[in-house]
Every structure is written in structure tokens, then in C-alpha cells.
């Protein structure tokens, strides 16, 4: 992973000192909350329903064991003993005291972490595949490109005050595990027989009030021209983007209203102008990429058995281990290794939450079992040990189980994504967390979950879609119905390479009613599926009608 140099350390330390002074002035009353708001947002600090919330950047979802231990320490000393991992591969603290935030930022800086650009109208944390550098299907590790974008965008003077927030995702596999088509900019690295290595460039995707699957505006962008092309996209957006209405200020609205072809022509014109004027940005990117590649070199892998006999035996004899292997263990490009998903969705748990003790346990297990001592944060609000010897999987499973981290539900019904909802968020219309817990309780049988197969449930407490309900196979949106919490049910979404937006199926439900509705949808799928079909396959084959009939037919 990338390591700070002297410039990085100085930048972060200076920023902390500046913010410490701003906090002091806010606490003394010298700054009003209105004056303080833009300053705190620049440092990842929100004011939510009951308290401040601090969002910490985890670039492209990669953590060292030392960084995870520091996150645990902060949770224990400055919060309520836990932290929340998000769909943006970040981590949030929900209860920090304002007076402590500068000290928290200093603690983070000690392990090369910060909260810069985790809020505000700027380029946010660049996300990527949680299995980057390990996945058997990728053509290269996408994280050096993500790091290049991070460095280019960090406090970029031209792009620090965009019309609205801006999110970038990068993958290097035909299997999209970062929802690139639902980002402001999505980049898919590929090899072209004629033109060499480059990116498919997708612009204008997103969820929220106006969801769109982003269109491709460039089929092949040579990798050496990446920063110049991103410069052209951001300049085009900065020039044409709406600033009079925050609901229409996202680049997805601009692309939709201009049309993808017209927007692409504007970007290409600016791209050519930048090239004619100065190609220094291409040379800078090439030099920096060569330097960055060394930071992401593969760990040292041992020559080990591809399928250890004792693991096969444990798989045959231990049902719990078998289910965990089937759903939480992913193929690795190195023979004899695997990537292990650590579920943060235990029975009765809050999706994405981990206690300080659990975070410390994960850090210890990374040191013990991961070839790089790394942890990854996933878009599904889980964690991953990316480089584990298959021979160690039974012992790892047992160790995870001791800490409540071995739930075998990755990608299944109870692996629910949920935003904080009305329990924390001032913008929410309804609670998300209790609903996720009720749905999980309804399906609390691992054998049944395995039989149902892949179903991605995503819950948002309001139209801002922090729970990605538009991308759920089953999406749930919290709404205000004459002062009462209610929920709309959506079906058919996907954030993968077959990206689609879930559609509302009919009238909304109460909290208990939506739990019953999810169960009805699952039962209907089980009665209609053909051999080998996932829920999404069945829905796309039959459409919404049979599900509507089951949901709304007279009793």
C-alpha cells in the first residue's frame, strides 16, 4: 500500500493544526455554527441528529493492521467503543466530542490516515475492488491508478469547490465489484489487442433523488492519458454544471440534460485543448505511476498445495465451515491462496458496525494469516483478508467465530446494506437499522440462506440513497407518510457489470409490513425460479408482475 512521504506528512499535520484552531474558536463562540460548518465539512466532520460524526478516509478500501488497531483505539478512547464501515470504503465515528476531534485527527496522522475530502463539494474517496491485487479475474491491480487519482485530486485548487460532491471508482476486471456505472466517473481497465492497455470511461452515473446508470463516453482511453482526460471531465463539469440548485448540480444531471454524446464532445474538445497546450500532465502521470507501482507490489507468496487435504476434510465434515467456504471465501490469482470475507452482519448486529475488540482481533488475524498484513473494506460494509493460505482457512474460521465474525452470509439475504437512517441522520425519514435487523431475524437459518442464494438487499432511510437502494436486487426506501415511517419496495437493481436501477413495485408498507413483503418476494422467487437462477435472473425473466400479484393480491 502507499506510504506517506515528507510532503504528505507535512500537509496532513498543517491541516490538523489549522482545524485545531478552528475548533478552539468554535468552542469559544468566536465562530458561529454557520461559520464553522464549511470548515468542519472540509475535515470530514458532520453534525447529525444527536451528535457530530467523523468520516475517515480509507483510500480504495485498503488498511494495514497498524491502521486498524489505531481505528480501534480511537473507537475505545473517543467514541462508544465501535466504528461503522461504509459503502464508500470509509469508516465513521458517530459520537466524537468536538473538543476531541483534532486529537483524533492527530492519532490518525500517526498511522498515515486523515479525513480530508470525505465531505464537501470536492472529489471524494476513490474506491476500488475489495479484492484488488488478489482477484483471479483482474488484468492488473487497479489501486495504483486509484492512488494516482487520489494524489491528483487532493486539495486540487480547481476542483475543491465543485457544483456538488464527486465520486470516482476504478476496477480492472470484467466483473464489476465497485459499482462503477453508478459513480460520477467509473473507470474499467482493459487490454485492447490493437490499442494496448487503457480505460473504458463512464460518466454520469449515480443514485439519490435522480438515479442514472452512467453512459460510456470513451471506449478506450490510453492509460497514460488518464489524468488529462479526468482534468477535461472535471473542467467541463465545473464550467457547465448547475450551481443554482443543489438537486440539479450533480454531473449525472448535466450529462442527462446535455445528452451523453454532446457531453462527450465537450470533454474531447477540452481534452484536445489541454493536450495542445501542455502535455506535462501525461508525463507527470507516467513518472508517478512508475513510482507508485512499487508500493503495490504483490506480497511474497509461498509455494503451497492448491487444495490442502485437511481443508477438504474439514469442508466435508463441518457444516459451518463448509457454508463459510461456499459464501465467504473467494478465488485468488495465486494457487493455494484465497481471499476471506469477514462478515459484519451477524445475527442481531448493525450492518457495518465493528467493536474496538473486533477491530483489534481483525488486525491480529491479518498479521497472522494475511501475506501482506492487510485488511480491505468492501462496498457491502464487510471486511476482507485478501491473501490467506488455504491451509490456514480452518484455523482462521475458528478464530473469527470466537469474535462473532464468522457469519457465512456474504452475498446472501442477511448480508444487508443499510444507511444509519433516522437513528442517527437528520435527513432521514425512517429507520434503517432496526429494519435490517428484523429482516435478518426472519431469515436466520444459514441452510435456508444458502438455498435461496444470492440476493442483495439494500436499505436507505431517505431519497439520498446512502444505502444504495436503487442498486438492490431488493431495495427498500424509507419515506415519511403523514408523519409516520413507511417503506417503499423496489426490485431488480444491480450495481455489478449488469447495472440496472430497481423499480418501485407498488404502494408502500409499514415497518412490519415491509418485512413480510420481503419474505413474500423471496417465497415467490423460490416458487418460480428455474434451475441455477439467481433472484435477479428470475426477476428479469418474468418481470415485476408475479411479484406484484403476490404482494398486493386481495387476502
Amino acid at each position: 500500500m502507499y506510504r506517506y512521504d515528507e510532503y504528505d506528512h507535512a500537509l496532513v499535520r498543517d491541516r490538523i493544526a489549522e482545524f485545531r484552531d478552528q475548533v478552539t474558536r468554535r468552542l469559544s463562540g468566536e465562530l458561529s455554527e454557520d461559520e464553522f460548518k464549511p470548515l468542519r465539512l472540509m475535515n470530514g466532520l458532520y453534525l447529525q441528529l444527536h451528535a457530530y460524526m467523523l468520516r475517515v478516509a480509507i483510500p480504495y478500501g485498503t488498511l494495514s493492521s497498524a491502521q486498524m488497531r489505531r481505528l480501534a483505539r480511537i473507537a475505545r478512547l473517543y467514541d462508544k467503543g465501535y466504528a461503522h464501515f461504509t459503502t464508500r470504503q470509509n469508516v465513521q465515528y458517530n459520537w466524537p466530542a468536538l473538543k476531541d476531534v483534532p486529537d483524533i485527527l492527530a492519532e490518525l496522522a500517526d498511522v498515515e490516515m486523515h479525513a480530508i475530502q470525505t465531505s464537501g463539494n470536492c472529489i471524494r474517496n476513490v474506491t476500488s475492488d475489495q479484492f484488488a491485487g488478489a482477484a483471479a479475474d483482474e488484468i492488473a491491480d487497479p489501486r495504483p491508478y486509484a492512488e494516482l487519482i487520489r494524489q491528483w485530486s487532493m486539495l486540487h485548487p480547481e476542483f475543491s469547490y465543485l457544483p456538488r460532491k464527486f465520486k470516482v471508482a476504478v476496477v480492472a476486471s470484467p466483473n464489476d465489484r465497485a459499482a462503477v456505472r453508478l459513480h460520477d466517473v467509473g473507470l474499467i481497465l482493459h487490454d485492447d489487442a490493437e490499442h494496448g492497455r487503457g480505460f473504458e470511461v463512464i460518466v454520469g452515473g449515480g443514485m439519490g433523488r435522480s438515479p442514472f446508470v452512467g453512459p460510456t463516453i470513451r471506449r478506450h482511453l490510453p492509460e497514460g492519458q488518464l489524468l488529462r482526460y479526468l482534468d477535461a471531465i472535471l473542467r467541463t463539469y465545473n464550467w457547465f454544471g448547475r450551481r443554482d440548485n443543489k438537486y440539479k448540480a450533480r454531473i449525472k444531471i448535466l450529462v442527462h440534460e446535455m445528452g451523453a454524446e454532446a457531453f462527450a464532445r465537450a470533454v474531447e474538445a477540452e481534452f484536445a485543448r489541454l493536450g495542445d497546450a501542455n502535455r506535462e500532465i501525461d508525463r507527470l502521470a507516467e513518472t508517478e505511476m512508475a513510482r507508485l507501482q512499487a508500493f503495490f507490489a504483490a506480497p511474497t507468496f509461498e509455494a503451497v498445495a492448491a487444495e490442502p487435504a485437511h481443508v477438504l476434510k474439514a469442508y466435508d465434515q463441518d457444516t459451518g465451515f463448509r457454508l463459510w467456504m461456499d459464501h465467504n471465501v473467494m478465488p485468488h490469482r495465486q494457487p493455494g491462496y484465497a481471499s476471506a470475507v469477514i462478515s459484519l452482519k451477524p445475527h442481531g448486529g448493525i450492518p457495518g458496525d465493528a467493536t474496538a475488540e473486533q477491530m483489534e482481533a481483525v488486525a491480529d488475524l491479518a498479521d497472522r494469516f494475511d501475506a501482506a498484513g492487510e485488511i480491505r473494506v468492501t462496498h457491502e460494509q464487510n471486511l476482507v483478508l485478501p491473501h490467506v493460505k488455504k491451509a490456514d482457512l480452518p484455523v482462521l474460521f475458528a478464530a473469527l467465530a470466537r469474535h462473532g465474525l464468522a457469519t457465512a452470509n456474504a452475498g446472501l439475504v442477511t448480508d444487508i446494506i443499510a444507511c444509519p437512517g433516522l437513528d442517527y441522520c437528520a435527513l432521514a425519514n425512517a429507520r434503517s437499522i432496526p429494519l435490517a435487523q428484523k429482516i435478518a431475524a426472519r431469515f436466520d437459518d444459514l441452510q435456508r440462506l444458502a438455498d435461496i442464494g444470492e440476493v442483495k438487499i439494500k436499505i436507505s432511510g431517505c431519497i439520498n440513497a446512502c444505502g444504495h437502494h436503487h442498486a438492490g436486487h431488493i431495495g427498500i426506501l424509507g419515506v415519511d407518510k403523514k408523519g409516520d415511517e413507511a417503506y417503499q419496495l423496489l426490485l431488480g437493481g444491480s450495481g455489478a457489470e449488469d447495472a440496472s436501477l430497481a423499480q418501485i413495485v407498488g404502494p408502500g408498507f409499514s415497518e412490519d409490513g415491509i418485512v413480510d413483503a420481503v419474505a413474500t418476494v423471496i417465497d415467490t422467487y423460490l416458487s418460480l425460479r428455474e434451475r441455477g437462477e439467481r433472484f435477479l435472473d428470475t426477476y428479469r425473466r418474468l418481470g415485476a408482475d408475479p411479484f406484484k400479484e403476490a404482494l398486493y393480491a386481495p387476502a
Side-chain angles (χ1 to χ4, degrees), residues 127-139:
T127 58
S128 189
D129 184 350
Q130 60 265 24
F131 302 116
D137 59 356
E138 69 179 9
I139 65 168

Side-chain angles (χ1 to χ4, degrees), residues 500-513:
S500 60
L501 299 173
Q503 301 298 315
I504 296 173
V505 295
F509 300 88
S510 66
E511 182 175 310
D512 289 335

Side-chain angles (χ1 to χ4, degrees), residues 39 41 43 51 79 125 128 149 154 195 197 212 221 231 255 315 342 380 445 462 484 513 536:
L39 305 177
L41 289 176
N43 292 278
D79 207 281
N125 187 41
S128 189
I149 297 168
M154 176 67 73
H195 302 292
R197 182 160 291 180
F212 292 100
L221 173 72
D231 226 26
V255 173
Y315 182 88
I342 300 172
E380 291 81 20
D445 183 295
C462 77
D484 294 325
L536 190 58

